[in-house]
Structure formats: C-alpha cells, structure tokens
Amino acid sequence: MGVAGPPDPEQAPAVRRALDGLGFDARSIQALFGTTDLLRLALVGRPLLAYRARGNSALACLGRLFFLEQPEPLHDAVRLIGETPLETLRNAGLLAIDGTFVMPSIRLYLEGELRLVGDLHGSHRPELADFVLGPGPVARMLADLALPGSFANILDLGSGCGVLGCLLAGRSHNVVCSDVSPRAAAFSRFNAALNGIENLRAVEGDLFGAVAGERFDLVLCNPPMVMAPTAEYLYRDGGSEICARIVREVPEHLAPGGCLQMLCNWPERAGCDWRETPRAWFDSTDCDAWLLRFHSLTAEGYADLWLRQQPDGTSRSAEAIGRWVDHLTAIVADRVGGGLVILRPRAHSQPLRTLRSAPHVSAPAGAALQRLMRAQDCLMATNDDAQLLESRLQRAPELEQQITLNIGQAGWQQQKRELRLAGTLGFSAMADATTLGVIAHLDGQRTLAEAAAVYAQQIEVDPHRPVAGLAPAVRELLRLGMLTPV
Ligand SMILES: C[S@@+](CC[C@H](N)C(=O)[O-])C[C@H]1O[C@@H](n2cnc3c(N)ncnc32)[C@H](O)[C@@H]1O
C-alpha cells in the first residue's frame, strides 16, 4: 500500500456532509464494534472486530475500511456507501480505488464528538519517518489533564494531526497547532476543517520557531519523548532532550499566568534520586514547576513497551530489545520515568517546585491539578500558623476517608485512617482524629480556627485544644491539594 498525502482541507466540508448522511459517528461505530473505547480497539482483537463488522450496511463497510483498514470490493462499497459519498471520500483523499477494490488512504478516527484523520496503521514503518499519529489514549489523557476553564490563546506544540488543538478549540478564542512536520500541519488543517473549527491555525516549525514573539495562556505538548536507540520516527524519538529544550524555551511564550502542560520521559539512575534529571531542567528556568511522576519502567520494560507498538514482527525481536537496553544503559538510564510537567511564570518571591510520584492519577484531573496549584500558592503566601488558622479553606470535592480494619483476637480492629483524592490525583495521607474532625467542619465559610472551635464544641473539649498541632497536618493536606483556599 503506497503512502497517501494529507487530505485536501477544501474538500473537508463535503466529507463532513457525506459522513453525516451515512450516520458515521461515535455512537454508531461504538455500537458496530461493541465497545465504547474506540481508541483502544486493538484490545478487542482483530478477528472479533472483523466478525462484528461483517454486516451489509454502510456503517459496517466504513468500519471495515477505516478501522480495520481492510480493502472492500468496489461493487460492494458502491452498493453500501452509495456512489456519490464514495466519490466524495475519494476526491478528498480518504479512499482510493485500486482495480476492483476500494482501499483506505488514511485512517478515520472518532474521538468524542470529533472526526479526525491520521496515517493508516498499515503505513507505520521507518520509511515513513514523518508518520502522523492519529488520536490515541496518550493524547486523550493529556486533554483530560488540561487545566479547566477557557484560555485566550492555546498552543498545541508538536500537534501531529491536531487532536489536542481540536479537542480544546471550544475553550479558546485562538488555537495554534505547531509541528515540525509539514505533513502533520496539513493533517491538522484538514481535521480543523472537517470539524468546522474556524479558530485553529496550523503552522510548521521547529518547536517555537513558527510562533516567535507569540505568548499563550496554555501550551499543551505530547512531545516525541521516547528514548530510542535510533531516531526512526519524528513523532516518537526526541528523547528526554526535547523535553529539556521545551522547558528551557517555553517561558518566552507563556502569557502572564499561562501554563505549559507537557508529558515527558527522563532517565533514572539506580541508587540516585529519580528527580535528578527533571530537577536539572527546572534549574534552567525561573518558573514555578510541578512534576507528577506517573510511572517508572525498567530499561527492559520500556524497550518492550515501545517495541510492542511496532507493526512489523522483526522489530520486536530479542535483538531489538537488546539494542534498546544497551542504548539506555549507555546513557545511564537504569529506568525511565514518565509523567506530566506543569510550568508557569514564577508567582512568588521564590520559584515553587513540586516533584512527586503520582502513580494513581486517573483522568479527568484538570480541575484537581488546578486545586493543587492554588493550594500550594496559598501555602507559599501563608507566613505563620496564625495566618493559616485565619484562612478560609475547603475540602477537595473528591476527598474520601478510607478506614482499614484488620481481623484480630478481638474481632475487626481499625488499622489506619487515610485521606485520599479518589478518582483524580490519587494522593493519600494519614490523618489523626483531630485533623479529620476539624476538616469535616470546613464548609467554605469558616476559617480553620472557626472549624476547630466547632469541632471542640462537638467533642466537648477546651476550644483551643484541637488547634494545637493542627497546622503541620493542614499544611500537608494543602501541599497535596486535599484542602484548598476558598
Ligand atoms: C507524540 S507526537 C504527538 C502528536 C499529538 N500532539 C498527539 O498528542 O497525539 C509528537 C509530535 O511532535 C512533532 N515534533 C517532533 N519534533 C518536533 C520539533 N522539533 N518541533 C515541533 N514538533 C516536533 C512530531 O512531528 C509529532 O507530530
């Protein structure tokens, strides 16, 4: 199968009308394949997907072409899709006719309400170094981690097919998708047009080269962060160096109060603090920085993870794993850490720095991230315990208390009580009975001292008693975003 060029944005409105007419949307394709997770279709397995899409309908035919990348006999495609819609998809460059068969030229995805195109999985091979990734679970995760609210200007840096820019376009006046690859920029232009998005501009350039002098309120970036032994793919093989470069260069492009949110990978050395490399990135800026470490993989596990995504069998050999492990060993990476960086112009007299393991983050967590940042701002601005006690604080809405009971001689006995940010950042913290009692009375109106007084009254003790020793525990809950200022 030859590699198709990007589709023509001029044709996108006609494609949209054709797909509307055929009822091609997320709900109908989810029903066809029997799964709501169209970004992880591979988990279902090809034989079962092919079985489910075996029918004689336009949707089944489109499902086979665009999701299974399966050729369709021309006379069947004409009968099922109709001559005019088929011609529209062909004119735009989504389908090609080869003899008596119709073939997909690019892959069509459904992501939320959006229809997006990317390169065919079948064209994922080193000869196509500028392979354009379609939407996937990693981009979805970053979109779900995006801070809430609207932003005057958003930059989708290393935009690929423009998935992040398209997903966030409704929350901004102006979205710029920038990518070093002209093919990627062309895919972004088509995708914006296909979804009727008019506030998105796709530009070409190395990192910030195409947006010199521009500042953004939100920069989202899923960079080519993979630490591979050879640079095969533009979308993948920039290593931790490109993450370091982005941290260095982004401050010039952040509007006051603006943020970078970037996924990243970095090397970790056995016996050393895992924070070593990312901390050095942050030392090159005067910005406030947060790093949440989602995972840390052994060199072997990292090699296996990435080689599993190669389409051709040979590249998944034991020798290939060996090459990756040797490369990682040579650059002193016993393990590879992965996570999210948030960078913002410094908001206090000293830069704020948080580097923390967060292995249980579950999306959407953008609002929880914003609460974490506000809570830490409050801590930075609070000089002493007296000021803290006068603060009006509230509990994070997803805060839960977990009580663990163990069975013993005397039956079930309480082992520990833990506070937990359930379903967002996943942080947990031990808390004593007094802290738990006081924070239960934080209602958004009361100060911490007032909540402590209400609790003292409830348990009938001296009003000053709960206050003693409360401040360090409350500081820790603020540090974790479990409490936030009102
Ligand atoms: C992992 S892909 C992300 C694509 C898309 N944003 C997503 O989340 O699916 C990384 C993208 O960065 C682009 N890229 C690689 N090097 C770059 C550079 N130096 N400057 C700008 N973009 C670059 C690649 O072409 C690719 O589209």
Side-chain angles (χ1 to χ4, degrees):
M1 211 182 298
V3 173
D8 177 4
E10 296 281 310
Q11 305 290 326
V15 172
R16 182 165 72 239
R17 285 191 296 275
L19 294 175
D20 283 346
L22 293 164
F24 182 88
D25 59 25
R27 207 140 43 97
S28 51
I29 294 296
Q30 285 167 0
L32 177 75
F33 286 119
T35 172
T36 52
D37 195 352
L38 295 177
L39 296 181
R40 291 188 181 83
L41 269 188
L43 295 178
V44 178
R46 198 179 164 88
L48 185 53
L49 293 173
Y51 174 74
R52 288 177 177 162
R54 69 193 180 285
N56 269 319
S57 67
L59 281 173
C61 180
L62 291 169
R64 290 192 290 268
L65 283 164
F66 289 122
F67 287 83
L68 301 181
E69 301 186 6
Q70 202 172 288
E72 190 78 4
L74 179 58
H75 64 272
D76 284 348
V78 171
R79 180 171 56 87
L80 297 173
I81 299 178
E83 204 159 334
T84 309
L86 193 67
E87 196 51 22
T88 303
L89 297 177
R90 195 172 76 95
N91 282 342
L94 274 72
L95 294 174
I97 293 174
D98 185 3
T100 56
F101 280 89
V102 178
M103 330 271 286
S105 306
I106 55 172
R107 194 169 173 110
L108 186 53
Y109 295 80
L110 293 159
E111 163 57 307
E113 299 295 306
L114 300 174
R115 295 171 183 138
L116 297 168
V117 298
D119 271 317
L120 288 175
H121 287 189
S123 61
H124 187 240
R125 48 177 194 264
E127 302 87 79
L128 185 61
D130 56 356
F131 176 89
V132 176
L133 209 58
V138 179
R140 160 52 52 194
M141 177 173 74
L142 184 53
D144 282 344
L145 290 168
L147 295 171
S150 50
F151 301 87
N153 295 293
I154 293 181
L155 174 63
D156 173 359
L157 183 66
S159 52
C161 72
V163 49
L164 293 166
C166 289
L167 281 170
L168 274 280
R171 291 168 52 185
S172 181
H173 297 307
N174 171 38
V175 178
V176 179
C177 283
S178 186
D179 202 291
V180 75
S181 151
R183 285 188 88 237
F187 272 84
S188 294
R189 277 180 209 115
F190 180 84
N191 282 328
L194 183 60
N195 292 285
I197 298 171
E198 290 175 357
N199 57 340
L200 186 153
R201 174 166 59 100
V203 295
E204 296 154 29
D206 177 26
L207 291 193
F208 299 97
V211 292
E214 292 186 59
R215 290 190 182 261
F216 299 89
D217 304 279
L218 181 66
V219 177
L220 280 182
C221 183
N222 171 16
M225 59 189 149
V226 177
M227 294 155 58
T230 47
E232 273 180 356
Y233 294 108
L234 208 48
Y235 79 82
R236 195 188 69 176
D237 303 327
S240 65
E241 294 81 5
I242 199 156
C243 305
R245 241 188 96 194
I246 293 167
V247 167
R248 254 193 334 268
E249 295 181 20
V250 75
E252 259 183 60
H253 299 279
L254 291 177
C259 269
L260 162 75
Q261 290 188 271
M262 175 179 74
L263 298 172
C264 54
N265 276 182
W266 62 88
E268 296 180 0
R269 270 195 293 165
C272 295
D273 187 347
W274 65 263
R275 298 166 186 82
E276 207 174 59
T277 298
R279 192 176 274 139
W281 303 343
F282 299 154
D283 286 347
S284 69
T285 85
D286 188 36
C287 287
D288 293 331
W290 287 261
L291 173 70
L292 299 185
R293 181 209 208 200
F294 297 155
H295 54 75
S296 168
L297 299 173
T298 60
E300 216 178 82
Y302 187 73
D304 187 48
L305 174 79
W306 284 102
L307 287 169
R308 271 174 199 275
Q309 294 173 42
Q310 303 275 83
D312 56 305
T314 53
S315 53
R316 273 185 266 165
S317 59
E319 290 73 26
I321 295 208
R323 272 195 301 281
W324 278 62
V325 172
D326 289 349
H327 166 70
L328 292 169
T329 308
I331 58 169
V332 210
D334 300 291
R335 303 183 68 91
V336 178
L340 175 78
V341 160
I342 305 180
L343 214 73
R344 159 191 94 171
R346 178 164 62 79
H348 308 276
S349 54
Q350 293 296 317
L352 201 163
R353 297 282 153 84
T354 297
L355 295 91
R356 225 176 227 289
S357 269
H360 307 296
V361 170
S362 45
L369 283 174
Q370 190 179 54
R371 281 193 294 274
L372 176 76
M373 294 165 72
R374 288 188 56 227
Q376 296 190 350
D377 282 336
C378 166
L379 262 183
M380 290 289 274
T382 305
N383 299 322
D384 52 30
D385 289 358
Q387 195 183 352
L388 185 65
L389 284 166
E390 290 315 309
S391 309
R392 276 176 221 289
L393 302 176
Q394 61 192 352
R395 296 178 304 277
E398 73 276 30
L399 189 65
E400 277 183 5
Q401 187 190 153
Q402 286 185 351
I403 302 176
T404 308
L405 303 176
N406 276 0
I407 194 86
Q409 298 273 329
W412 290 104
Q413 285 178 328
Q414 187 179 308
Q415 186 68 17
K416 60 178 178 181
R417 279 165 178 258
E418 234 178 2
L419 286 170
R420 203 172 138 74
L421 284 178
T424 57
L425 302 183
F427 293 146
S428 57
M430 303 298 268
D432 57 48
T434 303
T435 309
L436 291 169
V438 172
I439 68 167
H441 293 289
L442 289 173
D443 60 356
Q445 308 289 322
R446 296 186 180 114
T447 64
L448 186 58
E450 287 164 350
V454 175
Y455 177 61
Q457 202 174 22
Q458 182 192 338
I459 60 167
E460 297 175 357
V461 296
D462 177 276
H464 296 294
R465 212 165 98 188
V467 168
L470 187 63
V474 167
R475 282 185 203 283
E476 180 59 7
L477 300 185
L478 279 165
R479 216 167 277 128
L480 295 171
M482 292 181 175
L483 297 178
T484 47
V486 174

